[in-house]
Amino acid sequence: MKVQRVEMFVMPMDTPDDTTGLQKLADKGLIKPDSLVALCGKTDGSGFHDDWGRVLADSALRGWTAKFLNIPFDQVAKRVIFVLSGGCPGVITPHIVAVTRSWEEAPAAAAGGARHLVVGIAGSEPIAPEEVGRMGMIRKVAAGVRAAMADAGVTDPKDVHLVLVKVPGLTVGSIKDAESRGKTVVTHDPTFGVMGAGCYGNDGAALGVALALGEVPEAKLSDDVVRKNWDLYSSVAMTSSGGEKRHGEVLLFANSANSRSRLRIGHSATKDYIDAEGVRNALRSAGLEFKELPSEKDLSRLVHVFGKSVTPGSDIIRGQKITLLDDHNCYQIGKAVGGMLVASVTGRTMNYLSGGERNSHQGPPGGNVMAAIVRDPD
Amino acid sequence: MKVQRVEMFVMPMDTPDDTTGLQKLADKGLIKPDSLVALCGKTDGSGFHDDWGRVLADSALRGWTAKFLNIPFDQVAKRVIFVLSGGCPGVITPHIVAVTRSWEEAPAAAAGGARHLVVGIAGSEPIAPEEVGRMGMIRKVAAGVRAAMADAGVTDPKDVHLVLVKVPGLTVGSIKDAESRGKTVVTHDPTFGVMGAGCYGNDGAALGVALALGEVPEAKLSDDVVRKNWDLYSSVAMTSSGGEKRHGEVLLFANSANSRSRLRIGHSATKDYIDAEGVRNALRSAGLEFKELPSEKDLSRLVHVFGKSVTPGSDIIRGQKITLLDDHNCYQIGKAVGGMLVASVTGRTMNYLSGGERNSHQGPPGGNVMAAIVRDPD
Amino acid sequence: MKVQRVEMFVMPMDTPDDTTGLQKLADKGLIKPDSLVALCGKTDGSGFHDDWGRVLADSALRGWTAKFLNIPFDQVAKRVIFVLSGGCPGVITPHIVAVTRSWEEAPAAAAGGARHLVVGIAGSEPIAPEEVGRMGMIRKVAAGVRAAMADAGVTDPKDVHLVLVKVPGLTVGSIKDAESRGKTVVTHDPTFGVMGAGCYGNDGAALGVALALGEVPEAKLSDDVVRKNWDLYSSVAMTSSGGEKRHGEVLLFANSANSRSRLRIGHSATKDYIDAEGVRNALRSAGLEFKELPSEKDLSRLVHVFGKSVTPGSDIIRGQKITLLDDHNCYQIGKAVGGMLVASVTGRTMNYLSGGERNSHQGPPGGNVMAAIVRDPD
Amino acid sequence: MKVQRVEMFVMPMDTPDDTTGLQKLADKGLIKPDSLVALCGKTDGSGFHDDWGRVLADSALRGWTAKFLNIPFDQVAKRVIFVLSGGCPGVITPHIVAVTRSWEEAPAAAAGGARHLVVGIAGSEPIAPEEVGRMGMIRKVAAGVRAAMADAGVTDPKDVHLVLVKVPGLTVGSIKDAESRGKTVVTHDPTFGVMGAGCYGNDGAALGVALALGEVPEAKLSDDVVRKNWDLYSSVAMTSSGGEKRHGEVLLFANSANSRSRLRIGHSATKDYIDAEGVRNALRSAGLEFKELPSEKDLSRLVHVFGKSVTPGSDIIRGQKITLLDDHNCYQIGKAVGGMLVASVTGRTMNYLSGGERNSHQGPPGGNVMAAIVRDPD
């Protein structure tokens, strides 16, 4: 049978339009036009819904990829998934992760064998402004996730450890468009504020993941539960939204016995906003074996961490009050402190860390999803 | 001989003018008019040089203290030291620490005996705007630190583990005042920016501590080295400045064999901006004995952590670039991520964490001072 | 009959707790304990829902007033109305306006005589968190406005030119309180964002004014129209909200033939966000007679301007797009540009200018309420 | 002799990479590859030194221009001057101005004839980081301005009404570069703060203009006067700086009798920060004749306004204090209020308005340069 061999390359970006790292990989033959399946990363900029740094990065990376694949600019989305999360406040190094996969012929794996990384990608149908943060988005994202599972060759949702999704948000312009067609939108606030379209977009996508993976049954879902019933959530969704998007993009990571990759993924959740042990548990889940703290040797095997830092819905953490929920800069600061939480564990600043929104259907109430990818020892 | 018995009470403040915690302590007889020597803490607000939250807290706490001590409002500064650090971004719980000391008769301690906490307090002479961030401030703060050592009964600088200093900054008004008298000021930027008066104030004070404790010889000091020669620093200074201040206030913590306190203080420095081990080392220095991670029992003995989060002068951390130095919100975000670094270790959000300024003579280049106070086991 | 003689004193505040201007007035006998009816003004600070500058000002002014009236601090609200609007970005000088009125015996005015300023004050019943931005608040504010009209001796709503109202907003704490009692709140966003409690508070109060003055019939009002049906508005309401408030305060300005004041009030509305002519129309309405631009002599008669700068709901102004609605700092910048619009007309920076929220029931869609008070020529 | 015919096209930009307006002009034949000499405008984004919106706009416009002129991307700078000013807070519509000129044969103009618009363009030599805000930059910009005058065919500096200059600022990276070569830099603050590199860049460029035009004699210039001696200034310079620039670009506007343009330029200065009459004076200087306020017909002839809104060095405006100088968001708010000042006069939001820095050698102390371009009546 055909099995995947997945590789990941993590490179810093000096500016949002820096493609030198990708070019070097291409020059060395480490990424090839037919193996590149996804580019995901963190881009310098405000991180807000009108973050031009992310747009600049998207434009530069897409342009580079079009040349690399020798296809028109607007065909790139059909071949390579882009999940760029804007905003690197604090100790988050702007970076890009190139994900490649090649297919190799191999015998079907024996039951109980070691499981390694496989990835699946899919685009969703176009998502209209009136669907953002509602069942329309949830169902379209769920369909995309199912397609990505099929693409990864994974059937058991338990094997899925991380689903990155990028979906449309709302802008002043797209709200106007929807209303001119007689539609309503879920909110008039285009920001990542507590009632903002950025959050509704992220959370519609998260519930789409939860629906596809059976974490939440369809019967419990409706427009009304979005950003209201926090007991409904996905443990592996990391979603972000951007006003410039028109459809969803899904990048799914799983482990499979039918994989020739030398990488493994695992995930965990922090129990609350300051829970460094939750980050360490993600490392353990991916295969690092340590008791209290990972050693330098352990960390040398760590390929990447993907983490969220959703601001909790309560201003009480372990019995003590914080003022973050009332902070005008909550969105950026919430992301920044999450970056530090992860960096304090990994000993590096090049971590994928998104977040800042208040409350989310990504991860359990108060806690955050953390995923880690680890390389087999030599 | 007379020896000190020092106690510390750490209380959350619901708003900057919340004095209910202090009142409860007073009602229980835990603090008394003649034992209260200092109030220090973190206050909700912007943390900027024009942070009215800190002014509100100062006004409310000083008013409460005046009543408690039954003295006029403007006499409080002669009896009780106030070191309020504004700004609680992220996971820093606004709080106040009441420090009390009483004097007890005891025989002189034997050499080599256990050492416990003593405190010393002192005010400095008034510091004029033209002295801020210059030798004038350095010398006046140094004199204040020497007075505080004497007040603590400490002679060996090695016993000093933490010196909190609050000094004047510059405001548009005080700059105008200095220049109307034909004086120059060190900067025209009243902010905590990289060339801002807030930083010059903090750093003049830090070098004053370094001078008093012999960490930097006087011969190496001049106006020109301030915020230029980062190899000159104090390992135990934590300083902050406020435009509303007219003189310096010093609160010094040391260990002494001649102490009846059940508390001990220790300190360490982080080696860089994301070094959680540096925080743990402060806990170890104060007397907690653990190998990798402190246990819940260890943490139950931890009374308080005082930490800085000065943004490094370089944008490279462990070989990777961060964007914080170019961030318009660097000051608040730098403080916030420091708060998370400490919280990730202490498992609580009620830590004293100031910082956000870029570069400082507080702590070694790139690293930050961390001090911890631990209670003897029962 | 008893008629009012109203006087207004406009003073800069150097800091939020600056009461020196008030003290000077008191020392000169210009304000007396039994004539002071209101203090309103703009206070330095962030202007956000957690603006401690406004809290500091309220505390200092209330404390001064308590001493001046020789009554307990918590009785001040029964005698003097406080309407402090936080945030002075740009060219808005922090200031306080003391409003006094005395009663004089005078014959009833002949019909058609000159009309001069009268004021009315009232407090509302306590407004619970669950009532903020809903009919509960609307009705309680309307009752307050009717009481203030009666207090002013005014029966025709057409004589009312300005109603300042301060009402409670929502905080993380008060939301929690409401929900713990099984109540819902209108929003979970405590800010002045487009779906924020600050806006719902302001707009509930504005519709309360509109209801009391007959600008909007009760039949058209319901919870559902608040911040949705922008065709419902008051042309004379200027409202603000603060999380620290528990009940509403109303300060109503009108002209009456039965007045011994030498002041007159008028109002107008800007037709859009950049309409300086709308500001000039308010000056004309109050009695300044000029053709194109007011002369210096005209402006010397201008006592004060009260203006709003609500950000429009559309991002198109006179056919051209602005980016303000997508700006993270929309709230402060929207207030700041309004301050400049007024200052460009009045030639001074000491204007009462609140705003920054997006859309409002204060003034017509896109336009803003402007009121001016002018002194009779000598 | 050959004389210029200059035309200007002012177009909104929907996003920073919106080139549709340019394309329409090209499609209509209104701009041609050999007539396009400059693109200047305001771009959406933060306006800070790390504003990626401006970078995105530069990239998109340069790419479009390269295609339009059929030359390589990196050759565009030799043919077309780009002056993009980042940040459109408040009521500044993002827009681009295309400046074209063609050459026509005409007899030399008679003395005293009507004067019309001519433009000159020039690039400067590369400006090293160590030259930013110092004599190196001043001299190189001055040489560029002289070259631009020659290009415009103008010899009398009095005919010059506006000089737009874009120069390099400093970044963390370029500072590091300079210091690694043993050089010093004028400041370590890369921002537009009061001691920031953005301001030093802008002001070095402004003094370069002043030197070239004889507004300031060379004998009075030295590194020491930059951002210190505010009596030295240019009345026609509008400069901006960006970290991504390596050399200066100059776009000079003048009137000349030898011009076939139907446009005229004029300029004035505001006397202080809120002086709308100063804006009107610029309109009058350009040829609009009105007494108090321009009529709609007058404004229909107004092609564009270029204005600055430098925050004054003093916090007192017409005797009243403002808090802007202490405001963390001074840079954006200072720009925003300037935009409103101009819009309140022009009745439109599509004005070129840069500023926000504190104090400048652009315009007299406290005042700001305003230039206007007017079309001859039909």
Side-chain angles (χ1 to χ4, degrees):
Chain A
M1 68 182 299
K2 289 278 186 195
V3 301
Q4 295 189 18
R5 180 184 294 270
V6 176
E7 193 48 85
M8 290 176 67
F9 303 92
V10 184
M11 299 154 283
M13 293 182 86
D14 201 47
T15 56
D17 52 359
D18 176 13
T19 57
T20 55
L22 282 172
Q23 190 57 50
K24 275 183 202 164
L25 287 180
D27 291 346
K28 289 182 188 167
L30 291 171
I31 58 175
K32 294 175 185 165
D34 57 357
S35 71
L36 182 65
V37 290
L39 292 175
C40 54
K42 293 293 305 176
T43 58
D44 189 14
S46 68
F48 292 126
H49 69 287
D50 61 345
D51 177 354
W52 299 116
R54 195 186 61 226
V55 175
L56 177 61
D58 186 279
S59 170
L61 291 170
R62 212 170 283 274
W64 183 89
T65 305
K67 274 193 192 168
F68 183 55
L69 272 62
N70 197 24
I71 58 175
F73 189 91
D74 58 7
Q75 296 297 306
V76 171
K78 296 188 181 169
R79 294 270 300 273
V80 180
I81 292 289
F82 280 63
V83 182
L84 302 179
S85 164
C88 296
V91 292
I92 301 170
T93 295
H95 67 276
I96 192 77
V97 183
V99 183
T100 63
R101 70 173 174 190
S102 51
W103 297 91
E104 303 184 0
E105 193 64 35
R115 304 169 91 72
H116 283 91
L117 186 63
V118 292
V119 298
I121 65 174
S124 83
E125 285 182 63
I127 296 170
E130 58 268 29
E131 294 179 313
V132 170
R134 291 173 171 166
M135 286 306 295
M137 175 181 267
I138 293 172
R139 289 206 179 90
K140 287 181 177 175
V141 169
V145 173
R146 287 184 203 107
M149 279 183 74
D151 184 54
V154 169
T155 51
D156 186 348
K158 288 205 185 70
D159 287 324
V160 179
H161 289 270
L162 175 63
V163 187
L164 293 178
V165 187
K166 186 95 195 183
V167 288
L170 290 174
T171 62
V172 172
S174 67
I175 291 171
K176 211 186 297 182
D177 162 58
E179 297 188 336
S180 74
R181 292 182 285 104
K183 307 294 184 183
T184 64
V185 290
V186 70
T187 179
H188 280 84
D189 179 353
T191 74
F192 283 93
V194 72
M195 303 286 285
C199 290
Y200 277 100
N202 289 0
D203 277 329
L207 290 174
V209 176
L211 173 59
L213 298 182
E215 298 175 290
V216 173
E218 185 154 10
K220 287 202 176 171
L221 290 173
S222 70
D223 287 0
D224 284 345
V225 304
V226 183
R227 293 194 64 70
K228 292 223 180 75
N229 183 348
W230 303 111
D231 293 330
L232 310 177
Y233 61 87
S234 168
S235 290
V236 294
M238 286 189 197
T239 62
S240 57
S241 55
E244 78 283 5
K245 290 275 171 189
R246 291 292 162 264
H247 69 112
E249 299 185 73
V250 179
L251 174 57
L252 178 146
F253 296 83
N255 289 328
S256 166
N258 290 309
S259 166
R260 282 272 172 102
S261 308
R262 296 195 53 217
L263 307 176
R264 271 185 61 188
I265 187 165
H267 81 278
S268 184
T270 56
K271 69 176 184 186
D272 61 26
Y273 205 49
I274 62 172
D275 178 28
E277 187 67 6
V279 183
R280 290 188 286 264
N281 284 338
L283 272 55
R284 292 180 179 113
S285 165
L288 293 187
E289 291 170 14
F290 57 91
K291 199 173 166 210
E292 297 195 1
L293 288 173
S295 66
E296 286 303 307
K297 197 177 165 191
D298 290 326
L299 293 175
S300 73
R301 290 176 50 204
L302 179 64
V303 175
H304 211 45
V305 167
F306 293 84
K308 283 295 292 192
S309 181
V310 171
T311 309
S314 159
D315 61 349
I316 304 293
I317 296 184
R318 303 192 191 181
Q320 293 163 338
K321 180 178 162 179
I322 60 169
T323 61
L324 183 59
L325 278 64
D326 286 311
D327 194 320
H328 179 61
N329 290 320
C330 175
Y331 183 64
Q332 293 185 312
I333 289 175
K335 197 179 286 179
V337 297
M340 180 58 100
L341 184 69
V342 174
S344 77
V345 169
T346 65
R348 66 180 73 161
T349 57
M350 201 147 63
N351 308 295
Y352 180 101
L353 194 295
S354 74
E357 59 267 44
R358 178 157 351 142
N359 256 333
S360 176
H361 299 289
Q362 302 165 71
N368 276 295
V369 180
M370 297 284 162
I373 292 166
V374 164
R375 188 176 299 278
D376 284 353
D378 290 320
Chain B
M1 68 182 299
K2 288 278 186 197
V3 301
Q4 296 189 17
R5 180 184 293 270
V6 176
E7 193 49 81
M8 290 176 68
F9 303 93
V10 184
M11 299 156 282
M13 292 183 85
D14 199 48
T15 56
D17 52 359
D18 175 13
T19 57
T20 54
L22 282 172
Q23 189 57 48
K24 276 183 202 164
L25 286 181
D27 291 345
K28 290 181 187 167
L30 291 171
I31 58 174
K32 293 175 185 165
D34 57 358
S35 71
L36 182 65
V37 291
L39 293 175
C40 54
K42 294 293 305 177
T43 58
D44 188 15
S46 70
F48 292 127
H49 69 285
D50 62 346
D51 177 355
W52 298 117
R54 195 186 61 227
V55 174
L56 177 61
D58 187 280
S59 170
L61 292 170
R62 213 171 282 276
W64 183 89
T65 306
K67 274 194 193 167
F68 183 55
L69 272 62
N70 197 23
I71 59 176
F73 189 91
D74 58 7
Q75 296 297 305
V76 171
K78 296 188 181 170
R79 294 270 299 274
V80 179
I81 292 291
F82 280 64
V83 182
L84 302 179
S85 166
C88 296
V91 291
I92 303 170
T93 295
H95 67 275
I96 193 77
V97 183
V99 183
T100 62
R101 71 173 175 190
S102 52
W103 297 90
E104 303 184 359
E105 194 64 37
R115 305 169 90 73
H116 283 90
L117 186 64
V118 291
V119 298
I121 66 173
S124 84
E125 286 182 61
I127 295 170
E130 59 268 28
E131 294 179 313
V132 169
R134 290 173 170 165
M135 287 305 295
M137 175 182 266
I138 293 173
R139 289 205 180 91
K140 286 179 176 174
V141 170
V145 174
R146 286 185 203 105
M149 279 183 74
D151 184 54
V154 169
T155 52
D156 186 348
K158 287 205 189 69
D159 288 325
V160 178
H161 289 269
L162 176 63
V163 187
L164 293 178
V165 187
K166 187 95 196 184
V167 288
L170 290 173
T171 61
V172 173
S174 68
I175 291 171
K176 210 184 298 183
D177 162 59
E179 297 188 336
S180 74
R181 292 181 284 102
K183 306 295 185 183
T184 64
V185 289
V186 71
T187 180
H188 280 83
D189 179 354
T191 74
F192 283 92
V194 72
M195 304 286 283
C199 290
Y200 278 100
N202 287 2
D203 276 329
L207 290 174
V209 175
L211 174 59
L213 299 183
E215 297 174 290
V216 173
E218 184 154 12
K220 288 202 175 172
L221 290 172
S222 71
D223 286 359
D224 284 344
V225 304
V226 183
R227 293 195 62 73
K228 290 222 180 76
N229 183 348
W230 303 112
D231 293 330
L232 310 177
Y233 61 86
S234 167
S235 291
V236 294
M238 284 188 199
T239 62
S240 57
S241 54
E244 77 285 2
K245 290 275 170 185
R246 292 291 162 261
H247 68 112
E249 299 185 73
V250 179
L251 173 58
L252 179 146
F253 296 82
N255 288 327
S256 167
N258 290 309
S259 166
R260 284 270 172 104
S261 308
R262 296 196 52 220
L263 306 176
R264 272 185 60 187
I265 187 166
H267 81 279
S268 184
T270 55
K271 69 177 183 183
D272 62 25
Y273 204 49
I274 61 171
D275 178 27
E277 186 68 7
V279 182
R280 289 188 286 264
N281 283 339
L283 272 54
R284 293 180 179 112
S285 166
L288 294 188
E289 291 170 15
F290 58 91
K291 201 173 165 212
E292 297 194 3
L293 288 174
S295 66
E296 286 303 308
K297 195 176 165 191
D298 290 327
L299 293 175
S300 73
R301 289 177 50 204
L302 179 64
V303 175
H304 212 45
V305 167
F306 293 84
K308 283 294 292 192
S309 181
V310 171
T311 310
S314 160
D315 61 350
I316 305 293
I317 296 184
R318 303 193 191 180
Q320 294 165 336
K321 181 177 162 179
I322 59 169
T323 61
L324 183 59
L325 279 64
D326 286 311
D327 194 321
H328 179 62
N329 290 322
C330 177
Y331 183 63
Q332 293 185 313
I333 289 175
K335 196 178 286 178
V337 296
M340 181 57 100
L341 185 68
V342 173
S344 77
V345 170
T346 64
R348 64 179 77 161
T349 57
M350 200 148 62
N351 308 295
Y352 178 102
L353 195 294
S354 73
E357 59 268 44
R358 176 154 355 137
N359 258 333
S360 174
H361 300 289
Q362 303 166 68
N368 276 296
V369 179
M370 296 285 161
I373 292 165
V374 164
R375 188 176 300 277
D376 284 352
D378 291 320
Chain C
M1 66 184 299
K2 289 278 185 195
V3 300
Q4 295 189 17
R5 181 183 294 270
V6 176
E7 193 48 83
M8 289 176 69
F9 303 93
V10 184
M11 299 155 283
M13 292 183 86
D14 202 47
T15 56
D17 52 359
D18 175 13
T19 56
T20 55
L22 282 173
Q23 189 58 48
K24 274 184 201 163
L25 286 180
D27 292 345
K28 287 182 188 167
L30 291 171
I31 57 174
K32 293 175 185 164
D34 56 359
S35 70
L36 183 65
V37 290
L39 292 176
C40 54
K42 293 293 306 177
T43 58
D44 189 14
S46 69
F48 292 127
H49 69 285
D50 61 345
D51 177 355
W52 299 116
R54 194 186 60 226
V55 175
L56 176 61
D58 187 279
S59 169
L61 291 170
R62 213 171 282 274
W64 183 89
T65 305
K67 273 194 192 167
F68 183 55
L69 271 62
N70 198 23
I71 57 176
F73 189 90
D74 58 8
Q75 296 297 306
V76 170
K78 297 189 181 169
R79 293 271 299 273
V80 179
I81 292 290
F82 279 64
V83 181
L84 302 179
S85 165
C88 296
V91 291
I92 302 170
T93 296
H95 67 274
I96 192 78
V97 182
V99 183
T100 63
R101 71 173 174 189
S102 52
W103 297 91
E104 302 185 0
E105 192 64 37
R115 302 170 92 73
H116 283 89
L117 186 65
V118 292
V119 299
I121 65 175
S124 83
E125 285 181 62
I127 296 169
E130 58 268 31
E131 294 179 312
V132 170
R134 291 173 170 167
M135 286 306 296
M137 175 182 267
I138 293 173
R139 289 208 180 90
K140 285 179 177 174
V141 169
V145 173
R146 285 184 204 108
M149 277 183 76
D151 185 53
V154 169
T155 51
D156 186 349
K158 289 207 186 67
D159 287 325
V160 178
H161 290 269
L162 175 63
V163 187
L164 294 178
V165 187
K166 188 94 195 184
V167 288
L170 290 173
T171 62
V172 173
S174 67
I175 292 171
K176 210 184 298 182
D177 162 58
E179 297 187 337
S180 75
R181 290 182 285 104
K183 306 295 185 182
T184 65
V185 290
V186 69
T187 180
H188 281 83
D189 179 353
T191 75
F192 283 92
V194 71
M195 303 286 285
C199 289
Y200 278 100
N202 288 1
D203 276 329
L207 290 174
V209 175
L211 173 60
L213 298 183
E215 297 174 289
V216 173
E218 185 154 13
K220 289 201 176 174
L221 291 172
S222 70
D223 286 0
D224 284 344
V225 304
V226 183
R227 292 193 65 71
K228 290 221 181 77
N229 183 349
W230 302 112
D231 293 329
L232 309 178
Y233 60 87
S234 168
S235 291
V236 294
M238 285 188 197
T239 61
S240 56
S241 55
E244 77 283 4
K245 291 275 169 185
R246 291 291 162 264
H247 69 112
E249 299 186 73
V250 180
L251 173 58
L252 178 146
F253 295 83
N255 288 328
S256 167
N258 291 310
S259 166
R260 283 270 172 105
S261 307
R262 294 195 54 218
L263 307 176
R264 271 186 62 188
I265 187 165
H267 80 279
S268 184
T270 55
K271 69 177 183 185
D272 62 25
Y273 204 48
I274 63 172
D275 179 27
E277 187 68 5
V279 183
R280 289 189 285 264
N281 283 338
L283 273 54
R284 291 181 180 113
S285 165
L288 294 187
E289 292 171 16
F290 58 90
K291 201 175 164 210
E292 297 195 2
L293 289 173
S295 66
E296 286 304 307
K297 197 177 163 190
D298 290 327
L299 293 175
S300 72
R301 289 176 50 203
L302 179 65
V303 175
H304 212 45
V305 167
F306 292 84
K308 283 293 292 192
S309 181
V310 171
T311 309
S314 159
D315 61 350
I316 304 293
I317 296 184
R318 303 192 191 181
Q320 294 164 336
K321 180 179 163 178
I322 59 169
T323 61
L324 183 59
L325 278 64
D326 287 311
D327 194 321
H328 178 62
N329 290 321
C330 176
Y331 183 64
Q332 292 184 313
I333 289 175
K335 198 179 285 180
V337 297
M340 180 58 99
L341 184 69
V342 173
S344 77
V345 169
T346 64
R348 66 180 74 162
T349 57
M350 199 146 64
N351 308 296
Y352 180 102
L353 195 294
S354 74
E357 58 268 44
R358 179 159 347 144
N359 258 333
S360 175
H361 300 290
Q362 303 166 69
N368 276 295
V369 180
M370 296 285 160
I373 291 166
V374 164
R375 187 176 300 278
D376 285 352
D378 291 320
Chain D
M1 66 183 299
K2 289 278 186 196
V3 301
Q4 296 189 18
R5 181 184 293 270
V6 176
E7 194 48 81
M8 291 177 67
F9 304 93
V10 184
M11 298 155 284
M13 293 182 86
D14 200 48
T15 56
D17 52 359
D18 175 14
T19 57
T20 55
L22 283 172
Q23 190 57 49
K24 275 183 201 163
L25 287 180
D27 291 346
K28 289 182 188 167
L30 291 171
I31 57 175
K32 294 175 184 165
D34 57 357
S35 72
L36 183 64
V37 291
L39 292 175
C40 54
K42 294 292 307 176
T43 57
D44 189 15
S46 69
F48 293 128
H49 70 287
D50 61 346
D51 177 355
W52 300 115
R54 196 186 59 228
V55 174
L56 177 62
D58 187 280
S59 170
L61 291 170
R62 213 171 283 274
W64 182 89
T65 305
K67 274 193 191 167
F68 183 55
L69 272 61
N70 198 24
I71 57 176
F73 189 90
D74 58 6
Q75 296 297 306
V76 171
K78 295 187 181 170
R79 294 270 299 274
V80 179
I81 292 290
F82 280 63
V83 182
L84 302 178
S85 165
C88 297
V91 291
I92 302 171
T93 295
H95 67 276
I96 193 77
V97 183
V99 184
T100 63
R101 72 173 173 189
S102 52
W103 297 91
E104 303 184 0
E105 193 63 36
R115 305 169 90 71
H116 283 91
L117 186 64
V118 291
V119 299
I121 64 174
S124 83
E125 286 181 62
I127 296 170
E130 57 268 30
E131 294 179 313
V132 170
R134 290 172 171 168
M135 287 305 296
M137 175 181 267
I138 293 172
R139 289 207 180 90
K140 286 180 177 174
V141 169
V145 174
R146 286 186 203 106
M149 278 183 75
D151 184 54
V154 169
T155 51
D156 186 348
K158 289 205 185 70
D159 287 325
V160 178
H161 289 270
L162 176 62
V163 188
L164 293 178
V165 187
K166 187 95 196 184
V167 289
L170 290 174
T171 61
V172 173
S174 66
I175 291 171
K176 211 185 294 182
D177 162 59
E179 297 187 336
S180 74
R181 291 181 285 104
K183 306 295 184 183
T184 65
V185 289
V186 70
T187 180
H188 280 83
D189 180 353
T191 74
F192 282 93
V194 71
M195 304 287 284
C199 290
Y200 277 100
N202 288 1
D203 276 330
L207 290 175
V209 176
L211 173 59
L213 299 182
E215 297 174 291
V216 173
E218 184 155 11
K220 287 203 175 170
L221 291 173
S222 70
D223 286 0
D224 285 345
V225 304
V226 183
R227 293 194 63 71
K228 292 223 179 76
N229 183 349
W230 303 111
D231 293 330
L232 310 177
Y233 61 86
S234 168
S235 291
V236 295
M238 286 188 197
T239 62
S240 56
S241 55
E244 77 284 3
K245 291 275 170 187
R246 290 293 163 262
H247 69 112
E249 298 186 73
V250 179
L251 174 58
L252 178 146
F253 296 82
N255 289 327
S256 167
N258 290 309
S259 166
R260 282 272 172 103
S261 308
R262 294 194 55 216
L263 306 176
R264 273 184 63 188
I265 187 166
H267 81 278
S268 185
T270 55
K271 68 177 186 185
D272 62 25
Y273 205 49
I274 62 172
D275 178 28
E277 186 68 6
V279 182
R280 290 189 285 263
N281 284 339
L283 271 55
R284 292 181 180 113
S285 166
L288 294 187
E289 291 170 15
F290 58 89
K291 202 175 164 209
E292 296 195 3
L293 288 174
S295 66
E296 286 303 308
K297 197 178 164 190
D298 290 326
L299 293 175
S300 73
R301 291 177 50 205
L302 179 65
V303 175
H304 212 46
V305 167
F306 292 84
K308 284 293 292 191
S309 181
V310 170
T311 310
S314 160
D315 61 349
I316 305 293
I317 295 184
R318 302 192 192 180
Q320 293 164 338
K321 180 178 163 179
I322 58 170
T323 61
L324 184 58
L325 279 64
D326 287 311
D327 194 321
H328 179 61
N329 290 322
C330 176
Y331 183 64
Q332 292 185 313
I333 289 175
K335 196 179 287 178
V337 296
M340 181 57 101
L341 184 68
V342 174
S344 76
V345 169
T346 65
R348 65 179 74 164
T349 57
M350 199 146 64
N351 308 294
Y352 180 103
L353 196 293
S354 74
E357 58 268 44
R358 181 164 341 149
N359 257 332
S360 175
H361 299 289
Q362 302 166 70
N368 276 296
V369 180
M370 296 286 161
I373 291 166
V374 164
R375 188 176 300 277
D376 284 352
D378 291 320

